């Protein structure tokens, strides 16, 4: 999925679910299988996302793509997962990750360090 779909109004998980549902027309069950979440949780996440951002996601060209399989690991939050992937795989600075995800740079730093603490790499 392209990183360009993220918004400042939706959480990372809400964006992922909304993207898979609306762009690819997947069922809640199929989305749950892809991201390792219960389909009831996926349903709820999608309906919350619809209330917060009723229009379709703006899908623009992107230099960075995320494999949806990243979200199967429930050790990390969705934001931690994306932040780690962009930092470790592409070596992006926190500022660039924050811009891509439409988050504050301090939030990205904190989330990345929290995920490092979880796996003992800090």
């Amino acid at each position: 999925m392209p990183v360009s779909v993220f918004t400042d109004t939706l959480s990372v998980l809400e964006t992922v679910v909304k993207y898979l549902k609306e762009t690819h027309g997947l069922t809640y069950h199929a989305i749950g299988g892809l991201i390792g979440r219960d389909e009831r949780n996926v349903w709820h996440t999608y309906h919350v996302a619809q209330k917060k951002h009723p229009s379709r996601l703006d899908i623009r060209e992107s230099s960075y793509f995320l494999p949806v399989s990243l979200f199967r690991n429930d050790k990390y939050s969705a934001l931690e997962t994306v932040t780690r992937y962009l930092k470790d795989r592409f070596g992006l600075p926190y500022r660039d990750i924050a811009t891509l995800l439409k988050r504050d740079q301090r939030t990205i730093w904190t989330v990345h360090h929290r995920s490092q603490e979880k796996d003992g790499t800090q």
Side-chain angles (χ1 to χ4, degrees):
M1 85 181 262
V3 174
S4 64
V5 300
F6 290 99
T7 72
D8 57 353
T9 57
L10 297 176
S11 73
V12 170
L13 186 60
E14 289 166 349
T15 303
V16 170
V17 169
K18 187 171 174 67
Y19 172 79
L20 293 172
K21 180 76 176 150
E22 294 178 356
T23 305
H24 294 285
L26 298 177
T27 65
Y28 300 121
H29 181 75
I31 295 169
L34 285 173
I35 65 173
R37 303 289 199 288
D38 183 87
E39 67 184 272
R40 292 169 294 190
N41 178 266
V42 171
W43 178 90
H44 176 48
T45 301
Y46 178 72
H47 284 275
V48 169
Q50 277 294 91
K51 287 180 185 175
K52 290 163 74 172
H53 189 86
S55 60
R56 293 182 66 85
L57 293 172
D58 181 24
I59 303 171
R60 289 168 275 120
E61 209 171 297
S62 181
S63 302
Y64 302 102
F65 291 84
L66 304 171
V68 176
S69 60
L70 280 177
F71 300 99
R72 291 193 62 78
N73 185 350
D74 62 356
K75 180 178 180 180
Y76 306 106
S77 72
L79 182 57
E80 288 171 340
T81 299
V82 173
T83 301
R84 283 182 66 103
Y85 183 78
L86 293 173
K87 183 77 172 154
D88 298 346
R89 171 97 161 123
F90 298 107
L92 294 174
Y94 297 118
R95 178 188 67 251
D96 293 351
I97 296 170
T99 301
L100 288 169
L101 301 180
K102 298 178 179 50
R103 301 294 190 274
D104 187 272
Q105 180 177 340
R106 294 167 295 190
T107 301
I108 298 302
W109 183 91
T110 302
V111 164
H112 188 258
H113 283 274
R114 189 177 300 139
S115 71
Q116 288 179 317
E117 289 173 356
K118 285 182 180 180
D119 66 4
T121 59
Q122 185 176 12

